[in-house]
Amino acid sequence: MNHLALSSSTMTDTCAKLRDLNLIFEQSVHSQRRGRPSLMVRPHPRGPVVALIDVSHTHWRLAFAHIDGIPHIHRVESIPPSRTIFLRSLTDVLTNAHNELGSRLVCVVVSMRSTITENTHTQPVFLGWDHLDFTDLVTQLAPLPVMIENNATLSALAEYHHRRGAAHGYRGVLLIDITSSIGGAFISHGSVVSGATGSGGEYGHLPMGDPTIQCRCGAYGCWSTVTDGYALARSLGDPPPVDPEEYVHTISDECLLDPEGVYATVRDITAHGPLQTRTLTSARTNLGQGLATIAQGLGRGLAGLTNALAPDVIVMSGHALTVRRLASRAFTQAFDNALMDVRRTRAPAIASAVFGSEGYLRGGAILALDTVITPAYLDARSHH
């Protein structure tokens, strides 16, 4: 009630209306204290449900959310080698869910780590596929709304709208999420800035990287080529990882086994340039140099976006957090040095994402419920 700035009478009246629409029910919660038992508001067992699909490098997961927007994981499956089999599996699972839930299933949201165009076409190069067309899935489930959305956009929605989110209460929110590459989203006064085709926010493909390196998107010099897991593998002399997100986690675990050595290496490289005199293992030196280089690229890029977009908070997610933590001095120096004076005097806050990969599902639930739960929908429920 306090979070919504509603009086007790308004809250009572609102809950009564939602209860009459079978959207919520109130459950008594007994406590050790004297007095009347408290009432806990729960989603109604016959209320609306949203289906959420999140696709990563190796797995896809299905979750359901009720009117409270909290996702509950229902199943996790490996990504099959064929996109045809993958799409068929998704279609079968969602069709079965629609048959079981009937009119309670009000929307489907699919989270993808790739560019989305026309709400049906994606380029999931992280799966080794040059394109993925969801048109048949959308047609099969019609008239049920199906929304295909970028995972970073959904994460930004979760961090902005949820009262516990890292971006809650800010006006200009820049979210940067590094998984297979850099994903991003910018929220200005509550609205996602997504461009004419809805595919805006591809900040990882700004030409802020090495112009001699071709990105998997087809362009040369993308920002992602100096900041993602593939860039770290190149700096360590490792082959391209099958799952760059998992690769970064593995490197991070190695750092935790010898944090003082790694931190000292990164600090020395940042302050004095490449090591010449200290006796360190080659692996540790390469790791320190790689982390420092990636942190510098990340810092410069974020400063460039800050100069252009003027956010008042930058939310970092994925392995951007790992790089910043392990090479904080390199990141901070690069970020500060690349800021315009006017931005430096009012530099944005830098925050860590609260929800992580759960934000893809939470953001999907927020998007679906905001889209579907309209006055027309409520009016239709009142007549059933």
Side-chain angles (χ1 to χ4, degrees):
M1 188 165 65
N2 292 333
H3 291 294
L4 296 175
L6 298 177
S7 67
S8 58
S9 59
T10 301
M11 180 64 77
T12 300
D13 183 59
T14 300
C15 286
K17 292 177 180 178
L18 294 176
R19 194 170 56 245
D20 291 343
L21 292 171
N22 286 340
L23 293 176
I24 65 169
F25 76 98
E26 294 171 327
Q27 182 179 39
S28 296
V29 179
H30 295 278
S31 66
Q32 301 297 326
R33 294 180 295 180
R34 292 184 177 181
R36 297 171 59 186
S38 300
L39 293 177
M40 181 68 70
V41 176
R42 305 286 191 190
H44 197 281
R46 295 193 300 277
V49 177
V50 174
L52 307 163
I53 299 286
D54 176 49
V55 183
S56 70
H57 285 82
T58 56
H59 294 80
W60 62 270
R61 50 185 180 155
L62 167 68
F64 294 107
H66 297 85
I67 195 70
D68 58 0
I70 299 175
H72 300 276
I73 304 296
H74 183 71
R75 66 189 295 173
V76 179
E77 299 285 347
S78 298
I79 300 289
S82 163
R83 66 185 126 193
T84 301
I85 297 175
F86 172 67
L87 288 171
R88 187 185 305 132
S89 298
L90 286 190
T91 302
D92 290 345
V93 166
L94 292 171
T95 299
N96 290 337
H98 197 192
N99 291 337
E100 292 177 9
L101 293 168
S103 62
R104 290 186 60 208
L105 185 62
V106 295
C107 190
V108 173
V109 178
V110 180
S111 168
M112 294 291 297
R113 292 156 168 79
S114 61
T115 304
I116 314 294
T117 56
E118 300 175 359
N119 193 40
T120 54
H121 295 73
T122 71
Q123 295 176 302
V125 291
F126 68 95
L127 294 175
W129 302 332
D130 57 358
H131 75 279
L132 194 60
D133 186 354
F134 287 94
T135 301
D136 289 344
L137 172 65
V138 172
T139 303
Q140 180 76 19
L141 294 175
L144 181 69
V146 178
M147 308 169 75
I148 318 298
E149 189 53 82
N150 178 266
N151 66 310
T153 298
L154 297 177
S155 179
L157 289 173
E159 299 292 340
Y160 177 82
H161 284 286
H162 198 284
R163 63 182 179 84
R164 289 196 293 109
H168 187 67
Y170 287 91
R171 295 169 297 174
V173 178
L174 173 63
L175 180 131
I176 293 296
D177 180 39
I178 306 182
T179 51
S180 57
S181 61
I182 295 182
F186 184 63
I187 295 178
S188 178
H189 297 275
S191 298
V192 176
V193 179
S194 57
T197 63
S199 60
E202 292 295 333
Y203 302 125
H205 301 289
L206 290 171
M208 298 188 293
D210 185 339
T212 66
I213 298 178
Q214 186 177 24
C215 178
R216 291 167 300 144
C217 77
Y220 282 82
C222 291
W223 187 26
S224 287
T225 63
V226 294
T227 54
D228 60 16
Y230 298 107
L232 183 58
R234 282 196 303 272
S235 70
L236 300 182
D238 289 339
V242 175
D243 184 343
E245 188 174 1
E246 181 61 30
Y247 176 81
V248 172
H249 290 320
T250 300
I251 295 299
S252 176
D253 290 342
E254 292 179 8
C255 292
L256 294 175
L257 294 176
D258 185 20
E260 290 305 316
V262 173
Y263 291 164
T265 301
V266 174
R267 284 197 298 270
D268 285 351
I269 290 173
T270 302
H272 307 297
L275 298 179
Q276 300 294 333
T277 57
R278 287 188 61 182
T279 302
L280 294 168
T281 64
S282 174
R284 186 187 293 172
T285 301
N286 289 341
L287 179 55
Q289 290 173 334
L291 288 170
T293 299
I294 290 173
Q296 289 164 352
L298 180 62
R300 282 194 300 270
L302 284 176
L305 288 172
T306 298
N307 292 339
L309 299 173
D312 53 351
V313 66
I314 296 173
V315 179
M316 302 175 71
S317 185
H319 93 246
L321 295 173
T322 304
V323 171
R324 185 191 177 208
R325 183 179 72 250
L326 295 176
S328 59
R329 180 179 294 183
F331 170 84
T332 301
Q333 287 182 350
F335 180 73
D336 290 345
N337 290 341
L339 285 176
M340 302 163 58
D341 285 340
V342 68
R343 300 288 186 246
R344 191 178 296 111
T345 56
R346 297 187 62 183
I350 298 181
S352 300
V354 171
F355 298 114
S357 60
E358 186 190 353
Y360 311 149
L361 300 174
R362 281 187 176 268
I366 290 170
L367 178 64
L369 293 171
D370 278 353
T371 302
V372 173
I373 308 300
T374 63
Y377 173 82
L378 297 177
D379 183 63
R381 284 186 72 88
S382 68
H383 289 88
H384 280 296

